[in-house]
């Protein structure tokens, strides 16, 4: 696939978080104990056996990362090694084969490279979302793992995940439903966790929130995470906290933001249980973070039958200085505008 970056004449600034069909996708098959070389496919339609364990028993996992175009035209991924590791943790949990890191990166890079015309230009506010997935396929009926697996990577240009663009604040509603049990599958990026969250998300949106916020399933007390993002909280004592929980997805962006807060903003950071009701009055800022969500400030939360404004003393200024600085640092690094010493940015050579 030739053509130049951003060659498709899309209205990039108008994109939401919707599927846009791009030219090709990468797919590899695992059978008889090994992966084939993989290939590029034109069709977005997957022919699947009706008995496939992915369809019945949710034997599947997925990942999400973004490719962004830098000012100088380089195409950058952000810490794709962590997505590879996380996919393999999920694969191990669901008795699926490991996707070797080299295959994962080749699939991601090939899908990005061969769809270069769909990569939104620098400064457009959009990016190319990359969705790797691993699914159990083939004839089956009883509860047992598949004998064949497909690893696929497709890409789609996207804009902001929440309707509000950029750093506009969002709201969350605490769900009466649990997302994940303490010893369950919450820390793995597997579709089963998200199917259970569809109804919770719908209910939260009926309440007028952007999405659901889950508390811990054991005590309904400590913050776990939002439906599609982890949570960060800036506190009155100047520290930055994020929930410690065995049930939340280990977010790539959260890990990065916590490190940036410590290294670049000199903040005290802590991963610890955060008791929503007991500590809410100490929150000066709150945000949801993730690949799709980036860093979205949270202005209010619905719980105990009422809306609770985060830090109402902030003169109506919903976006505080901590999240603003963290957003600028994270996005600046991801787009190649700010130098970093960690080796987080991974160039896709076109
Ligand atoms: N939590 C959930 C449930 C998610 O779906 C996501 C999105 O990937 C995240 C957190 C954020 O993770 P990451 O920063 O790796 O995208
Ligand atoms: C991501 O942020 O990459 C996700 O997978 C979240 C998803 C619900 C869109």
């Amino acid at each position: 696939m030739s053509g130049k970056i951003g060659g498709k004449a899309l209205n990039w600034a108008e994109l939401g978080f919707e599927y846009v069909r791009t030219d090709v996708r990468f797919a590899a098959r695992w059978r008889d104990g090994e992966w084939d070389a993989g290939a590029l496919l034109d069709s977005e339609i997957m022919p699947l056996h009706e008995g496939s364990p992915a369809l019945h028993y949710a034997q599947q996992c997925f990942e999400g990362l973004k490719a962004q175009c830098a000012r100088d035209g380089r195409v950058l991924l952000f810490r794709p090694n962590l997505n590879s590791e996380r996919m393999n943790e999920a694969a191990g949990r669901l008795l699926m084969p490991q996707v070797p890191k080299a295959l994962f990166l080749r699939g991601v890079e090939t899908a990005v490279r061969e769809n270069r015309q769909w990569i939104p230009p620098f400064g457009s506010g959009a990016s190319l979302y990359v969705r790797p997935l691993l699914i159990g396929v083939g004839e089956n009926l009883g509860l047992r793992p598949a004998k064949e697996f497909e690893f696929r990577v497709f890409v789609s240009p996207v804009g902001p995940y929440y309707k509000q663009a950029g750093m506009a604040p969002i709201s969350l509603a605490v769900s009466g439903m649990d997302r994940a049990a303490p010893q369950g599958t919450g820390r793995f990026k597997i579709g089963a966790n998200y199917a259970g969250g569809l109804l919770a998300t719908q209910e939260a949106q009926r309440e007028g929130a952007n999405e659901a916020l889950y508390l811990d399933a054991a005590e309904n007390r400590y913050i776990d995470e939002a439906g599609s993002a982890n949570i960060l909280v800036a506190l009155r004592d100047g520290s930055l906290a994020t929930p410690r929980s065995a049930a939340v997805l280990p977010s790539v962006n959260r890990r990065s933001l916590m490190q940036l807060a410590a290294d670049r903003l000199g903040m005290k950071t802590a991963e610890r249980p955060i008791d929503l009701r007991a500590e809410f009055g100490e929150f000066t800022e709150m945000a949801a973070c993730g690949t799709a969500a980036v860093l979205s400030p949270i202005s209010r939360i619905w719980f105990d039958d009422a809306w609770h404004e985060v830090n109402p003393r902030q003169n109506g200024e919903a976006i505080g200085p901590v999240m603003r600085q963290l957003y600028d640092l994270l996005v600046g690094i991801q787009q190649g505008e700010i130098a970093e010493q960690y080796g987080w940015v991974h160039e896709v050579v076109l």
Side-chain angles (χ1 to χ4, degrees), residues 201-246:
T201 307
Q202 188 184 70
E203 286 189 353
Q205 289 171 349
R206 286 206 176 122
E207 210 59 73
N210 290 84
E211 71 167 321
L213 176 67
Y214 298 100
L215 301 185
D216 77 286
E219 294 185 65
N220 186 37
R221 192 170 152 194
Y222 300 102
I223 298 177
D224 260 353
E225 63 176 326
S228 59
N230 277 182
I231 297 294
L232 294 180
V233 172
L235 291 135
R236 219 163 280 290
D237 67 2
S239 66
L240 185 73
T242 192
R244 188 177 71 222
S245 165

Side-chain angles (χ1 to χ4, degrees), residues 66-288:
K66 280 176 174 170
Q68 315 225 33
C69 182
R71 190 187 291 274
D72 60 8
R74 286 177 309 144
V75 174
L76 307 176
L77 299 170
F78 186 66
R79 311 186 76 179
N81 289 351
L82 296 185
N83 298 96
S84 162
E85 285 168 18
R86 196 168 62 186
M87 173 166 269
N88 280 335
E89 280 157 22
R93 177 65 179 79
L94 298 189
L95 297 186
M96 302 196 282
Q98 299 285 292
V99 176
K101 191 197 278 185
L103 174 60
F104 183 92
L105 291 178
R106 185 161 59 84
V108 168
E109 292 192 358
T110 306
V112 170
R113 190 182 296 122
E114 300 304 320
N115 288 299
R116 69 187 65 165
Q117 296 187 71
W118 298 94
I119 304 173
F122 175 79
S124 64
S127 50
L128 191 74
Y129 186 72
V130 183
R131 176 51 70 83
L133 61 153
L134 173 64
I135 65 172
V137 298
E139 182 181 312
N140 184 62
L141 192 57
L143 181 58
R144 65 181 77 87
K147 294 194 182 71
E148 277 189 31
F149 294 85
E150 176 158 331
F151 169 62
R152 179 176 278 237
V153 185
F154 70 81
V155 299
S156 174
V158 296
Y161 188 67
Y162 301 110
K163 272 196 225 70
Q164 301 92 319
M167 267 202 95
I170 61 164
S171 58
L172 301 177
V174 169
S175 178
M177 288 173 243
D178 296 326
R179 175 179 177 275
Q183 304 306 319
T185 54
R187 68 180 186 278
F188 303 104
K189 199 161 173 65
I190 65 180
N193 292 335
Y194 294 80
L198 290 171
L199 179 59
T201 307
Q202 188 184 70
E203 286 189 353
Q205 289 171 349
R206 286 206 176 122
E207 210 59 73
N210 290 84
E211 71 167 321
L213 176 67
Y214 298 100
L215 301 185
D216 77 286
E219 294 185 65
N220 186 37
R221 192 170 152 194
Y222 300 102
I223 298 177
D224 260 353
E225 63 176 326
S228 59
N230 277 182
I231 297 294
L232 294 180
V233 172
L235 291 135
R236 219 163 280 290
D237 67 2
S239 66
L240 185 73
T242 192
R244 188 177 71 222
S245 165
V248 306
L249 195 75
S251 155
V252 173
N253 289 280
R254 171 174 86 156
R255 282 177 267 176
S256 310
L257 287 157
M258 293 297 282
Q259 186 151 5
L260 290 171
D263 294 356
R264 301 270 175 118
L265 304 184
M267 292 181 79
K268 200 167 131 255
T269 58
E271 189 177 332
R272 61 167 178 82
I274 302 174
D275 186 324
L276 176 67
R277 295 175 188 85
E279 298 192 55
F280 191 76
E282 295 300 305
F283 295 1
T284 53
E285 298 177 46
M286 191 172 179

